[in-house]
Amino acid sequence: MTEDADTRPQLPEVQPSEEEVQQLVRGAQHGEEAAFSRLYEVYFHRVYRFVALRVDTPADAEDITEDVFLRMLESIGSFRRREAPFVAWIMRIAHNRVVDYWRRARTRTSLPLDEAPPLPSEREDPHARIELFSDSRDLQAALGRLTDLQRQVLALRFGAGLSVMETAAVMKRNDGAIKALQHSAVAALRRIMVPGEQ
Amino acid sequence: MVHDPLDDVLNDCLDRLQRGESVALCLARYPDWATHLRPLLETATSAVAARPAPDPSFRATSRLRFQGAIRSHLAVQRSSRGETLFPSWARAWAGMMAALVLIIGFGSGAVLASSNAAPDSPLYPVKRATERAQVALTPSEASRARLHLRWADRRGVEMAAMAQEGKADHVDRLRRDLVRELDLAHAEAGTSPETPSTAGAPSAAVPEAGVRALGAGSAPPESSSPRPQDSRPAEVPTSDRAGNEARAFLREVHDDGERTLARLILAQRKAPPPAREALGRALKAAQARYGEPAALESGPYPSPPRIVVLQGVASYRGSTLWVGQRRVELPADAVIHGRPRAGQVLVIGGLLQEDGSILALQVEAEGPAKGAPARVTLQGPLASGPGGYLTIAGYRITLTPGQTTVQGEPTPGHWVMVEGRLVAPDVIAADRVRALDGVPVPFEDTED
């Protein structure tokens, strides 16, 4: 086993070209093990981050991420390039798994109080911090106060690193609607983190 | 809906930030919008910086599980498609019928679901039927021999799992299946198990006699179907190529055998008595077929001793697992219980490799570490290293009179357990050394 990308700087991420992705997808559709493995390496972080920004706990994000790749394995034969880019296709799978998760979660009890992170607006003097979010739990708590669509657009844009066009394909909206939604989501996040600001 | 031009400006800046441009430069590009833009861009960059990253241990184990899933998926796909070229109409007919029966009788979903079925699962017969179909669909003897080896390996994994659940009757049944797969593998390859005296050293020459031609085009096959193993002297290879292929195959048998035997030994740690005895029978039977000399009873271990059980605290460098200053390789078929995160106490059972790393066969996460991370517990065959030092799995063991407790009579070549502190990457200052009775034991058994 070799050291991998975890130890290298993460941003900006180098993603394979669309042509390379198409080649990998064709390979996977023809049953090439190496192509499946490479697709996993390429999309693992993006899927995980997207899911983690939309669910409650890292353990849930891990379970759903694994499930997304197993579903990719089973259904890659049904992927058609002309319908959407591959990244939009796999993120659509991830989105559907997240929707299932929340459907099941309705019957669950809520997070115990001592495990819930304090909401940023409840803290003293948010202006005193240079970073608005001290860690990922902080960010997730703030995202939890957005509407589902706002949370989804930020998870796709900031978590999965999708372009507006790809985000539009996943959310089945036009580019203009995604830009407007993104604007309202970032502004809402700002209001949550810095409540007194004009 | 009225279009807000700030939607486009913000989006352009977010794209630029993603490409590595700074907030200041973005604001300079849009001076008229700077007042509105600044708080939004600060919020966005802060959110990107705080986005969650996967735990390295999750990434490593998840990758393994996915690779295993790919292999199962592709194997089932290939066997269901029946797209291989058949050398004879009879094989094609048998194979297609087998695949059809599987698909019609159970459905492809059941075939896929059965790929990980345990021997006590209702789907297990589907798994075995799928295996038989794969063999029937495979045209060359060499490939069929390797398939039988793979199925033997699977039986070993299943046997270990059943033994830990105390299901001795399943262990006995699987032992017979494992032996049958190995006999079929040797029959297809035209080889016979190595004698114990040659198997311990992988570089040792494989006797030329005892090898029949292996591989497509190497020699005319006697029959297109597997023949039972017999005791007749096997044919002398017809060419160097055939001999080399046969030697390569026997090396594969040896390597597979080492993993399977290690798995069975490790399974003995937690198996209740009847299953433990059944495992003992399986070990004897498997040793004879794999050609590995006796390594398990109380007698001396083969040289070099490779099977080791290590308990220590997990850490990660990148996504590579380290325990007790040893790099641990996790192959796709490693059995992992729990989530081996950094800071957890792990019990690793596996094979010591030439570079000092451990090829894990099973990993058990036992919970967060409470003591000092440098503390390790190790079980393995004791060896006498250069200069008369005692070693286990390459760790040098130092004994301090008055501080080290010695229980039993630990002698080189026998299985022992050592508890102590890592005082250097390869040196354990032992607090306790205990001679064990032939096989590894659960670590909790040592708390007496």
Side-chain angles (χ1 to χ4, degrees), chain B residues 144 152 165 347 404 429 435:
Chain B
R144 285 198 298 276
E165 290 177 25
V347 176
T404 309

Side-chain angles (χ1 to χ4, degrees), chain A residues 52-53 58 117 133-143, chain B residues 47 49-53:
Chain A
L53 288 179
F133 308 101
S134 56
D135 57 29
S136 58
R137 292 186 67 179
D138 211 3
L139 172 63
Q140 281 163 309
L143 289 174
Chain B
R51 49 189 190 174

Side-chain angles (χ1 to χ4, degrees), chain A residues 5-189:
Chain A
D6 288 338
T7 55
R8 291 182 229 130
Q10 293 290 312
L11 285 172
E13 290 172 350
V14 180
Q15 292 297 328
S17 66
E18 187 57 29
E19 195 184 337
E20 194 188 336
V21 170
Q22 287 314 310
Q23 227 170 354
L24 290 172
V25 170
R26 276 195 296 276
Q29 287 178 327
H30 285 99
E32 288 171 22
E33 187 178 333
F36 275 118
S37 297
R38 178 80 182 118
L39 284 172
Y40 175 87
E41 296 298 331
V42 167
Y43 291 108
F44 176 81
H45 270 99
R46 301 175 79 179
V47 168
Y48 177 84
R49 284 201 217 104
F50 167 72
V51 173
L53 288 179
R54 295 193 62 199
V55 299
D56 279 342
T57 67
D60 291 333
E62 291 176 357
D63 290 345
I64 294 175
T65 302
E66 286 199 340
D67 197 29
V68 169
F69 283 101
L70 290 178
R71 279 163 196 266
M72 176 195 85
L73 186 66
E74 287 165 13
S75 56
I76 197 159
S78 68
F79 169 72
R80 300 284 175 273
R81 170 71 187 93
R82 63 178 179 276
E83 289 166 15
F86 183 74
V87 69
W89 183 78
I90 195 169
M91 289 302 167
R92 190 78 207 162
I93 297 177
H95 167 74
N96 290 338
R97 305 313 305 145
V98 170
V99 170
D100 286 349
Y101 163 86
W102 283 111
R103 197 173 290 142
R104 285 196 305 271
R106 281 196 204 117
T107 57
R108 285 194 314 226
T109 54
S110 58
L111 195 65
L113 277 178
D114 55 351
E115 285 182 26
L119 288 173
S121 57
E122 293 162 357
R123 295 175 181 168
E124 291 177 10
D125 190 11
H127 297 280
R129 284 176 293 142
I130 297 169
E131 288 295 335
L132 292 176
F133 308 101
S134 56
D135 57 29
S136 58
R137 292 186 67 179
D138 211 3
L139 172 63
Q140 281 163 309
L143 289 174
R145 299 176 68 186
L146 301 181
T147 67
D148 187 50
L149 284 179
Q150 286 174 336
R151 190 173 186 175
Q152 192 181 342
V153 79
L154 293 189
L156 288 167
R157 290 283 282 139
F158 299 169
L162 263 56
S163 68
V164 162
M165 200 183 75
E166 291 163 341
T167 306
V170 177
M171 295 182 70
K172 298 185 176 167
R173 282 173 161 72
N174 62 41
D175 290 6
I178 295 299
K179 286 178 189 172
L181 189 58
Q182 171 180 260
H183 182 181
S184 76
V186 177
L189 203 55

Side-chain angles (χ1 to χ4, degrees), chain B residues 125-302:
Chain B
V126 183
K127 177 181 181 178
R128 297 294 294 270
T130 311
E131 290 177 359
R132 284 194 293 276
Q134 269 187 265
V135 172
L137 288 163
T138 302
S140 84
E141 289 180 321
S143 303
R144 285 198 298 276
R146 286 182 173 86
L147 267 184
H148 284 302
L149 265 190
R150 245 175 84 196
W151 305 155
D153 192 53
R154 274 193 186 176
R155 299 297 87 82
V157 172
E158 291 162 358
M159 218 187 291
M162 289 293 102
Q164 298 210 355
E165 290 177 25
K167 295 176 176 166
D169 51 339
H170 281 287
V171 175
D172 279 329
R173 206 168 304 140
L174 289 163
R175 180 196 75 222
R176 288 191 285 273
D177 293 343
L178 181 141
V179 165
R180 184 170 171 274
E181 295 292 355
L182 289 175
D183 285 347
L184 287 170
H186 280 298
E188 291 283 11
T191 54
S192 57
E194 291 176 86
T195 58
S197 59
T198 58
S203 57
V206 172
E208 291 292 318
V211 175
R212 185 169 63 88
L214 177 80
S218 53
E222 290 175 353
S223 155
S224 61
S225 59
R227 62 179 169 78
Q229 195 185 21
D230 57 36
S231 55
R232 289 174 297 153
E235 294 168 29
V236 175
T238 53
S239 67
D240 283 350
R241 185 180 161 208
N244 287 339
E245 284 172 347
R247 272 187 284 276
F249 178 73
L250 284 178
R251 266 196 297 276
E252 282 177 41
V253 174
H254 177 266
D255 290 348
D256 269 23
E258 205 165 36
R259 280 197 303 276
T260 298
L261 293 172
R263 255 191 212 107
L264 301 183
I265 293 169
L266 295 170
Q268 287 187 307
R269 284 179 64 230
K270 289 190 173 172
R276 197 173 163 137
E277 285 157 20
L279 273 178
R281 290 190 287 276
L283 277 164
K284 281 199 174 76
Q287 279 162 32
R289 262 76 179 182
Y290 280 120
E292 180 74 12
L296 324 161
E297 298 169 24
S298 55
Y301 288 89

Side-chain angles (χ1 to χ4, degrees), chain B residues 44-79:
Chain B
T45 49
S46 192
V48 169
R51 49 189 190 174
D55 187 298
S57 60
F58 162 65
R59 185 170 183 190
T61 51
S62 166
R63 182 194 285 134
L64 287 174
R65 280 193 284 268
F66 185 62
Q67 283 168 347
I70 296 172
R71 284 185 202 127
S72 307
H73 175 73
L74 295 180
V76 170
Q77 239 183 11
R78 277 194 288 269
S79 73

